């Protein structure tokens, strides 16, 4: 169906160059919404049958959560079809999060945060952020919807990291339920996360190398908004960011290219070496004297720390020229594209695509374990009470 409609592409990291359907994340998103619509009577049906007081606030939370997820599913599919610009990718999640923020304001309106122990001598035990707390939550929705999208491009990575993040969040919610804290908020999160994990596991099977489908931006936006929803309405947005550590590192590493301080190609995927069937870091070419000063500063620092690989004396197409042959045409430099995928390849060397995906998912698992350590044992160093 998708191939007939022209929504297909060629996997450029394969020798056979088979045509693969794209934007298949819309199917999972639609199935998820149908499952959740059918699930709505389950947590609320007993109030109708027993004639008890109906929890309108919880019902509105559920409907609003599904509305925000549905909006991002639609916008993600529009991005796949229309190829939206980056400014639209920042604006649209903000608009989709507004119903979520309104419900949070009406039901909770809690904008006070507990200050970590080392900073209490400056601002006291707690700090009311007021309007800025809503700005933070709006930015959280924008970050989550784009964070998975920019750490993507190889078979199984988008779905794999989403599976691991959702599984980690489910474990976290179960631990909190076991200790009996915030019962309703964590139940609400599980209502959304468990069906999501159940649907993405079979999707991972078909998206794993060699991928039989591409999930597209639709899946990334859908997944990101779902994580933002459970983090905001489940009241653990700061904890959720701990499980996004690889995505945060990837974003920080990508900032110079994302904000155009350095040249940013249309695609920053690793370079596929067809002869050896391996992937190696891709590069962008630039003239050192024409780079934004912030980009030049970033390269200088990262080059000193060995976080980037810069080659001087190359031609405009990136060809390395011997020092004895350099002329005006070799006044360019090249640097690896600033993504976590290319960064891993700098240390591992050329590897097969399946191996590369495995390395990146191992990093995701490792960061989730660190997140649990920070959230529980280490948190006692910064706060008086840890649930």
């Amino acid at each position: 169906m998708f191939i007939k409609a022209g929504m297909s592409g060629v996997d450029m990291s394969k020798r056979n160059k088979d045509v693969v359907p794209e934007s298949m994340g819309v199917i999972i998103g639609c199935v998820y919404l149908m499952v959740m619509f059918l699930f709505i009577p389950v947590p609320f049906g007993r109030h109708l049958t027993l004639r008890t007081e109906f929890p309108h606030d919880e019902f509105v939370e559920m409907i609003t959560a599904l509305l925000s997820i549905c909006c991002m599913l639609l916008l993600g599919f529009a991005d796949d079809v229309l190829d939206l610009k980056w400014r639209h990718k920042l604006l649209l999640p903000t608009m989709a999060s507004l119903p979520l923020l309104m419900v949070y304001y009406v039901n909770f309106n809690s904008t006070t945060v507990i200050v970590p122990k080392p900073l209490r001598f400056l601002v006291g035990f707690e700090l009311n952020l007021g309007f800025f707390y809503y700005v933070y939550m709006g930015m959280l929705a924008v970050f989550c919807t784009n964070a998975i999208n920019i750490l993507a491009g190889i078979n199984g990575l988008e779905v794999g990291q989403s599976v691991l993040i959702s599984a980690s969040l489910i474990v976290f919610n179960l631990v909190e339920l076991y200790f009996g804290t915030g019962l309703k908020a964590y139940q609400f999160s599980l209502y959304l996360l468990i069906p999501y994990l159940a649907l993405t596991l079979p999707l991972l099977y078909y998206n794993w190398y060699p991928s039989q489908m591409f999930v597209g931006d639709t899946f990334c936006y859908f997944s990101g908004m779902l994580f933002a929803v459970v983090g905001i309405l489940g009241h653990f947005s700061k904890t959720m960011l701990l499980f996004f550590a690889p995505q945060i590192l990837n974003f920080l590493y990508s900032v110079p290219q994302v904000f155009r301080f350095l040249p940013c190609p249309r695609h920053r995927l690793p370079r596929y070496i067809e002869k050896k069937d391996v992937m190696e870091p891709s590069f962008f070419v630039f003239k050192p004297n024409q780079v934004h000063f912030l980009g030049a500063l970033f390269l200088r620092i990262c080059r000193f720390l060995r976080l980037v690989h810069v080659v001087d004396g190359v031609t405009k197409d990136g060809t390395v020229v011997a020092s004895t042959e350099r002329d005006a045409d070799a006044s360019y430099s090249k640097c690896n594209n600033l993504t976590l995928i290319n960064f891993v390849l700098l240390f591992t060397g050329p590897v097969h695509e399946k191996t590369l995906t495995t390395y990146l998912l191992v990093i995701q698992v490792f960061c989730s374990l660190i997140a649990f350590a920070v959230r529980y044992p280490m948190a006692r160093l910064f706060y008086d009470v840890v649930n």
Side-chain angles (χ1 to χ4, degrees), residues 150-158 160-162 164-165 208 243 245-247 249-250 269-270 279 339-346 348 351-368:
I150 64 175
L151 182 57
I154 58 177
N155 290 176
L157 183 56
E158 300 100 313
Q161 62 184 304
S162 299
L164 293 174
I165 292 172
W208 192 254
F243 297 108
Q247 289 73 26
L249 292 174
N250 180 66
L269 300 178
M279 308 193 84
T339 66
L340 185 61
I341 303 174
N342 287 300
F343 179 77
V344 169
L345 285 171
L346 289 180
T348 63
V351 296
H352 189 269
E353 183 177 2
K354 183 178 180 180
T355 304
L356 178 59
T357 302
T358 303
Y359 286 158
L360 290 164
L361 295 183
V362 168
I363 292 174
Q364 184 76 55
V365 172
F366 179 71
C367 289
S368 291

Side-chain angles (χ1 to χ4, degrees), residues 194-268:
I194 291 177
Y196 173 82
L197 181 60
L199 289 171
T200 50
L201 280 174
L203 180 64
L204 179 60
Y205 173 81
Y206 289 102
N207 188 237
W208 192 254
Y209 184 93
S211 178
Q212 301 175 50
M213 62 173 67
F214 295 148
V215 295
D217 292 342
T218 307
F219 177 81
C220 298
Y221 286 3
F222 158 64
S223 300
M225 181 54 77
L226 185 140
F227 294 141
V229 164
V230 298
I232 292 172
L233 296 182
H235 309 292
F236 57 87
S237 59
K238 297 179 288 296
T239 299
M240 188 193 65
L241 286 176
L242 293 175
F243 297 108
F244 270 77
Q247 289 73 26
I248 293 174
L249 292 174
N250 180 66
F251 171 74
L252 294 176
Y253 191 54
S254 300
V255 160
Q257 286 190 302
V258 171
F259 291 97
R260 307 297 177 177
F261 299 142
L262 290 170
C264 184
R266 170 66 178 165
H267 296 290
R268 301 184 295 164

Side-chain angles (χ1 to χ4, degrees), residues 107-125:
N107 285 357
F108 308 105
N109 196 27
S110 175
T111 58
T112 301
V113 296
I114 305 299
V115 178
K117 291 180 182 179
L119 300 178
R120 287 179 186 173
F121 73 96
L122 293 175
V123 294
F125 179 79

Side-chain angles (χ1 to χ4, degrees), residues 26-38:
V26 70
I27 296 179
I28 294 298
C30 290
V31 172
Y32 175 84
L33 288 175
M34 288 188 288
V35 170
M36 293 306 301
F37 292 155
L38 294 174

